[in-house]
Amino acid sequence: MDLSNQSRCFVQHFKNAFRRPTIERMRERFVAREAGQWSAKDERERQRIAIGAAPDDFRLDESWYDLWRDVDSSIVDRLHPYKWLLYPVHIRHLRADEHLVPWHQDAAYVALMPRRHERLITCFVPLEPDPTAGSTLEFACGETPLLAHERAGDHGAAIAEPPRGDLVRFDLAFGDALVFGDLTPHRTVAGRDGGIERRSFEFRLVQPEHALTDKDYFDLETRSFVRLSSQDRT
């Protein structure tokens, strides 16, 4: 499947996307590194930690991308033409109600950035052995333009009026992932029994032609980090 033929409003369930030994190793490293607790260097990081998001020194660990170094080529093919992962990865450990992210579209967060990608998709990877026990994502179905967003507490962007229509959730297994477009409205909700605690990765992917100069990416074809210089654009 070629995701270039998808609209910017879609969500797909990738079953068995990652090999169990690899994702188990990622979770073990996450827990071990987190034991030292997250500390904020500035107000921006304080706001991140307040919503269950990791500070920069935790996110900048390049070993998180080992998850993709031995991923099956069929997964890479399904993501085509989104071949470059943004670095660093967005990481969360949700533990409280205030960590639940309100309705939003990822494109609204991109709009807050000083340098913006034209278009991207997200790959959500839960790291809990039973992803259905903790918080998960809920999506609004149908085509949706970029909606008006406003700040909601420490959350930088939230849809002013929640979307209407059908909603969908997925029963994920350990090693599964959800891939969705940047205009897909979604939010974080508690698990089946009201549980919230969840560790997860949120990888953003772009097509190479949409990459920003002098920014680091992880190339899914070469399984290595790359950077596009301004000379490469000329």
Side-chain angles (χ1 to χ4, degrees):
M1 180 176 293
D2 189 332
L3 290 184
S4 64
N5 295 324
Q6 291 276 6
S7 75
R8 294 172 67 179
C9 291
F10 75 90
V11 57
Q12 292 185 14
H13 182 181
F14 280 43
K15 297 183 178 181
N16 300 311
F18 301 101
R19 295 186 174 95
R20 190 177 185 93
T22 307
I23 197 166
E24 285 176 343
R25 189 171 71 252
M26 292 296 98
R27 187 180 191 280
E28 289 171 359
R29 180 170 179 78
F30 191 121
V31 173
R33 282 211 57 199
E34 191 183 31
Q37 299 185 342
W38 293 348
S39 58
K41 297 191 296 292
D42 52 32
E43 177 60 17
R44 183 184 70 86
E45 288 199 343
R46 186 207 64 77
Q47 292 179 6
R48 291 181 60 84
I49 293 172
I51 58 172
D56 288 343
D57 62 346
F58 198 86
R59 299 173 62 215
L60 290 168
D61 187 339
E62 294 182 5
S63 71
W64 303 134
Y65 290 78
D66 288 350
L67 192 65
W68 295 92
R69 286 192 166 93
D70 66 350
V71 73
D72 192 89
S73 59
S74 63
I75 300 299
V76 177
D77 291 342
R78 287 183 65 183
L79 292 168
H80 181 81
Y82 293 87
K83 299 186 293 184
W84 284 12
L85 297 160
L86 274 65
Y87 172 81
V89 59
H90 191 54
I91 300 175
R92 294 185 187 274
H93 185 179
L94 307 188
R95 286 169 280 193
D97 287 342
E98 57 267 26
H99 294 168
L100 300 177
V101 184
W103 282 109
H104 68 283
Q105 296 162 296
D106 285 349
Y109 277 92
V110 172
L112 299 176
M113 300 294 103
R115 301 177 68 207
R116 305 170 186 175
H117 289 91
E118 179 179 331
R119 179 175 178 176
L120 53 74
I121 62 174
T122 295
C123 179
F124 167 75
V125 186
L127 293 174
E128 301 305 323
D130 180 8
T132 63
S135 57
T136 188
L137 302 185
E138 183 174 65
F139 300 87
C141 302
E143 288 296 316
T144 308
L146 181 59
L147 302 173
H149 286 66
E150 57 190 27
R151 190 169 187 85
D154 286 317
H155 296 281
I159 294 173
E161 295 186 12
R164 301 176 181 177
D166 294 336
L167 306 178
V168 62
R169 301 182 192 181
F170 296 85
D171 290 326
L172 302 180
F174 194 45
D176 288 2
L178 294 175
V179 175
F180 53 94
D182 59 356
L183 289 181
T184 308
H186 60 287
R187 66 172 177 171
T188 310
V189 292
R192 60 188 177 192
D193 296 320
I196 291 177
E197 184 164 16
R198 184 201 79 213
R199 297 172 180 85
S200 60
F201 292 144
E202 295 168 25
F203 293 96
R204 318 293 186 197
L205 298 93
V206 297
Q207 301 176 42
E209 57 266 32
H210 295 160
L212 303 177
T213 57
D214 301 317
K215 177 174 175 53
D216 294 315
Y217 299 88
F218 184 85
D219 187 330
L220 287 177
E221 289 190 338
T222 65
R223 313 293 171 101
S224 61
F225 287 96
V226 296
R227 173 176 285 210
L228 186 68
S229 70
S230 54
Q231 287 76 20
D232 294 328
R233 287 292 194 201
T234 60

